[in-house]
Amino acid sequence: DAGITQSPRYKITETGRQVTLMCHQTWSHSYMFWYRQDLGHGLRLIYYSAAADITDKGEVPDGYVVSRSKTENFPLTLESATRSQTSVYFCASSELDRGPTEAFFGQGTRLTVV
Amino acid sequence: DAKTTQPPSMDCAEGRAANLPCNHSTISGNEYVYWYRQIHSQGPQYIIHGLKNNETNEMASLIITEDRKSSTLILPHATLRDTAVYYCIVPTDSWGKFQFGAGTQVVVTP
């Protein structure tokens, strides 16, 4: 199916464990983004990527690692999960090489760290 | 980022036009205004964007003032499915590094 998909949709993990959230898009968009959204707050940018093998920090990168070995995938890893990382995580992609345009968001991954 | 200011909430009757204001007085000449919405628990959905001219698509119209310091998103005939949080965003650059504020919670009532 065409689009942007995140997996898993729901995840419960324990403090200190490593967990990876997956994001896959089928449009070959050059730009991809990871946001987190906490209860009652707007979305905050964690990391973004302008192309394969090019990533950069956003507003709240601490505790997260990303990679972009393939254009279509942009996994987000929590190296040692903490309770403060309990959140809903959204991935997005966009074809910004052609100028300002829309971004497409996934349905989100709800992560709970216990 | 150019800071945006939106009212925290507004109600709208079904079938009526919803006019959502946004102030962005520090916007630079080449910065675009974007509107997204987020229906409960879903990922944000793009609505429209513009630079200085008014824009219209199948979802909404965007009216930007001549001095570009404010804009209005117009949902011409609101439906119950338009109930959502609406975000007005002015990204720092065309990379789409959006900073989502609190947005406006719009509730469409029958």
Side-chain angles (χ1 to χ4, degrees):
Chain A
D1 289 339
I4 184 165
T5 55
Q6 295 183 234
S7 60
R9 291 292 311 278
Y10 302 91
K11 176 74 176 179
I12 300 174
T13 192
E14 295 179 339
T15 300
R17 289 197 180 262
Q18 182 181 82
V19 60
T20 296
L21 310 184
M22 304 301 294
C23 180
H24 174 79
Q25 51 106 354
T26 61
W27 296 298
S28 298
H29 286 167
S30 55
Y31 286 81
M32 295 188 74
F33 309 85
W34 275 107
Y35 290 85
R36 62 177 287 176
Q37 184 173 33
D38 302 307
L39 189 64
H41 291 81
L43 286 80
R44 292 181 292 173
L45 181 64
I46 305 171
Y47 269 96
Y48 65 97
S49 169
D53 297 322
I54 300 175
T55 62
D56 207 347
K57 297 177 180 179
E59 183 183 356
V60 288
D62 293 343
Y64 302 96
V65 175
V66 294
S67 61
R68 186 108 180 264
S69 58
K70 293 184 177 181
T71 299
E72 61 267 29
N73 297 324
F74 191 38
L76 176 73
T77 298
L78 288 67
E79 293 186 299
S80 179
T82 65
R83 288 195 179 90
S84 65
Q85 293 176 309
T86 292
S87 189
V88 180
Y89 291 84
F90 289 100
C91 177
S93 72
S94 185
E95 190 52 81
L96 290 165
D97 285 351
R98 303 176 185 176
T101 187
E102 64 186 293
F104 296 87
F105 284 79
Q107 287 298 94
T109 294
R110 186 175 298 274
L111 176 68
T112 302
V113 183
V114 299
Chain B
D1 273 10
K3 180 178 172 61
T4 62
T5 304
Q6 300 177 251
S9 64
M10 65 187 305
D11 294 335
C12 178
E14 188 178 20
R16 303 294 293 269
N19 297 306
L20 284 63
C22 179
N23 288 322
H24 32 77
S25 58
T26 61
I27 192 170
S28 298
N30 61 349
E31 290 177 334
Y32 282 71
V33 180
Y34 283 78
W35 284 84
Y36 280 77
R37 73 180 183 183
Q38 187 175 25
I39 297 170
H40 182 62
S41 298
Q42 297 182 18
Q45 177 188 24
Y46 166 84
I47 301 173
I48 199 166
H49 74 282
L51 182 62
K52 55 183 178 181
N53 297 320
N54 298 338
E55 302 287 345
T56 296
N57 62 20
E58 65 278 4
M59 289 184 67
S61 294
L62 174 60
I63 308 298
I64 302 175
T65 58
E66 190 169 347
D67 63 7
R68 302 189 70 240
K69 293 184 177 181
S70 66
S71 60
T72 300
L73 179 75
I74 301 173
L75 308 177
H77 304 288
T79 70
L80 299 179
R81 287 174 292 184
D82 291 323
T83 291
V85 178
Y86 286 76
Y87 298 99
C88 170
I89 304 165
V90 178
T92 51
D93 52 55
S94 61
W95 287 12
K97 291 165 58 179
F98 300 135
Q99 284 195 345
F100 289 78
T104 296
Q105 172 68 64
V106 173
V107 177
V108 180
T109 56

